[in-house]
Amino acid sequence: MQTHTHTHTQTQPIADGERSHSGSRLWAAMVQSKWMYALALPGILYFILFKFVPLWGLLIAFKEYNPFQGFWGSRWIGFTNFSDLFSSEVFYLMLRNTFAINIFSIIFMFPLPIVLALMLNEIRHEVFKRINQSIVYLPHFLSWVVVASMSFFMLSSDIGLINKLIAGMGFGPVSFLSNPNLFWGLLTAQSMWKEVGWGTIIFLAAMAGVDPQQYEAAVIDGASRMKQIWHVTLPAIRPTILILLILRLGHMADVGFEQILLMNNPLVNSVSQVFDTYAYTIGILGGKISVGVTVGMFKGVVGLTLVMLSNYAVKKLGQEGIY
C-alpha cells in the first residue's frame, strides 16, 4: 500500500511536468510562427463568427418561431417542421428538380474547366495565354442580374436576337425561356459560360506543380502531346479533380438561388421549384422562418452524407480523399 502511494506521488508530478513542457513547446512554436497565425487570423475569425456562432440558430427548426415572441418565447414543436416538409406535396418535386439540375451541372459543367485548363496549359506564348485567361475569367465577375438580362436579350421570343435570326430563316420562334423541357439545359449553359473560366484557376495551379522531368521522360519515350496529357498531366492532377468532385457532391442539395429566381416564370414552375426557392417563398415571404431553417438543415445533412459517402468510395478505389 505504501509502495502504491509512493508510485502515485512520483508519477503525478512527472505527468504534470510533461503536460507543462508540451504546453510550453506549443506556445514556443506559435510564437515562432506568429506571423503565419496573424495571416490566418482573419480566416479563423470569419469561420468562428459566420459559421460556428450561428449554429445555435438551427434550433429554430425545432420551434414554431415567432419573431415577436423571440427565440426563447417561441413554442418547441420537435420534428413537426421536418415531418411537414417531407409530407409536403412539392417535396419530391423539389428533390427531383434540385438533383436533376446538379446532375446536369456535374456531367456538363464539372469536366469543362479541366478541358479548358488543359488547353490553356498547352499555350506556349505567355502574353497570348494571359490574354485568353483574362477573357475567360471575366464572366465570373458579372452578376446574375446581368447574365439573366443578356439571356433575355438573346433568347426572348419577341425581341431575342436568336429568334430574330430564326425568323429570318423562315422558321417560327422558339420559346427558350418558357419551355420546361429547355429550362435545366438553359441553367447549365448559363453556369458554364459564367463560371468555366474561373474554375480553371485551381486546375492550372495543379498543372504548374507537375514535375517537368516527367514530361522530358515522356518525350524521350516518344510520347505525343496528347499522350503526355493523358499519361502525365491528368494523373498528376487526379487528386485535385477528386477532391473538387467530392466537395461538389456536397452541394447536391444546393442550386443557385439567384439564378433560378431571375430565370423563373409561371410556365416553368414545375421544373424550377427547388429547396432554395421554397425556403424563400415560405420562409421569408410567408413569414415561416422555422420552415426556411428546416430546409437549410435538411440540405446540410444531405450534403454531409454525400461528402462522406463519396469520400469513402474514393478511398475504397485506392485514391486519397479529403480526410
Side-chain angles (χ1 to χ4, degrees):
M1 183 65 183
Q2 291 178 352
T3 303
H4 174 73
T5 306
H6 178 72
T7 304
H8 178 74
T9 56
Q10 289 294 324
T11 56
Q12 185 65 29
I14 294 175
D16 292 341
E18 289 179 351
R19 285 195 294 267
S20 176
H21 184 60
S22 176
S24 62
R25 281 187 300 177
L26 177 61
W27 176 251
M30 293 179 65
V31 171
Q32 186 178 3
S33 306
K34 57 182 179 296
W35 298 117
M36 296 296 293
Y37 284 102
L39 288 173
L41 185 61
I44 295 172
L45 290 176
Y46 167 80
F47 278 97
I48 291 175
L49 293 176
F50 297 103
K51 300 297 182 180
F52 292 103
V53 173
L55 285 177
W56 71 270
L58 294 177
L59 293 174
I60 294 177
F62 303 95
K63 285 175 168 283
E64 189 177 2
Y65 182 71
N66 188 325
F68 299 102
Q69 295 178 343
F71 177 80
W72 301 110
S74 299
R75 187 167 62 95
W76 182 274
I77 58 175
F79 289 92
T80 302
N81 288 322
F82 290 93
S83 62
D84 291 343
L85 173 65
F86 298 146
S87 61
S88 173
E89 59 182 11
V90 297
F91 174 76
Y92 292 102
L93 176 66
M94 295 187 295
L95 190 66
R96 184 204 67 176
N97 294 342
T98 300
F99 274 80
I101 293 171
N102 278 293
I103 290 171
F104 266 67
S105 178
I106 290 176
I107 293 175
F108 298 104
M109 172 67 182
F110 184 80
L112 204 57
I114 303 173
V115 176
L116 182 58
L118 291 171
M119 296 171 64
L120 290 172
N121 192 54
E122 292 301 309
I123 299 176
R124 294 293 173 256
H125 195 285
E126 287 299 322
V127 175
F128 183 68
K129 181 178 180 178
R130 293 195 194 101
I131 292 174
N132 278 274
Q133 284 179 299
S134 300
I135 292 173
V136 298
Y137 291 167
L138 284 177
H140 169 77
F141 298 98
L142 297 176
S143 70
W144 279 112
V145 176
V146 175
V147 175
S149 300
M150 293 173 61
S151 301
F152 181 80
F153 175 75
M154 296 292 293
L155 303 174
S156 176
S157 298
D158 47 0
I159 65 171
L161 180 61
I162 293 179
N163 268 311
K164 287 184 180 295
L165 294 175
I166 293 175
M169 292 185 291
F171 298 99
V174 179
S175 302
F176 292 105
L177 302 178
S178 58
N179 188 343
N181 297 324
L182 301 177
F183 186 75
W184 293 342
L186 176 61
L187 295 181
T188 306
Q190 285 180 329
S191 299
M192 290 168 62
W193 179 81
K194 187 176 186 295
E195 302 295 346
V196 64
W198 188 255
T200 62
I201 294 177
I202 297 178
F203 296 112
L204 285 172
M207 292 175 192
V210 180
D211 188 356
Q213 293 182 356
Q214 296 186 27
Y215 292 109
E216 295 172 3
V219 172
I220 294 174
D221 291 339
S224 63
R225 292 303 303 175
M226 286 301 298
K227 288 186 177 179
Q228 292 177 43
I229 292 173
W230 186 258
H231 295 288
V232 178
T233 308
L234 286 175
I237 66 172
R238 184 186 296 126
T240 303
I241 295 174
L242 290 175
I243 289 173
L244 292 178
L245 179 59
I246 292 172
L247 295 176
R248 179 64 187 83
L249 290 173
H251 291 276
M252 281 293 289
D254 289 321
V255 182
F257 164 73
E258 186 178 358
Q259 180 189 14
I260 292 183
L261 186 67
L262 292 168
M263 298 304 300
N264 193 21
N265 62 75
L267 296 177
V268 297
N269 193 55
S270 61
V271 293
S272 65
Q273 181 76 290
V274 294
F275 291 111
D276 295 294
T277 56
Y278 180 80
Y280 172 72
T281 304
I282 304 298
I284 304 300
L285 299 183
K288 298 181 179 180
I289 299 177
S290 296
V291 176
V293 178
T294 302
V295 172
M297 194 170 180
F298 168 75
K299 288 166 48 183
V301 171
V302 172
L304 177 62
T305 303
L306 290 175
V307 166
M308 295 178 66
L309 291 176
S310 56
N311 186 71
Y312 176 78
V314 166
K315 284 190 172 183
K316 279 294 185 182
L317 294 173
Q319 302 296 325
E320 185 177 352
I322 59 176
Y323 62 88

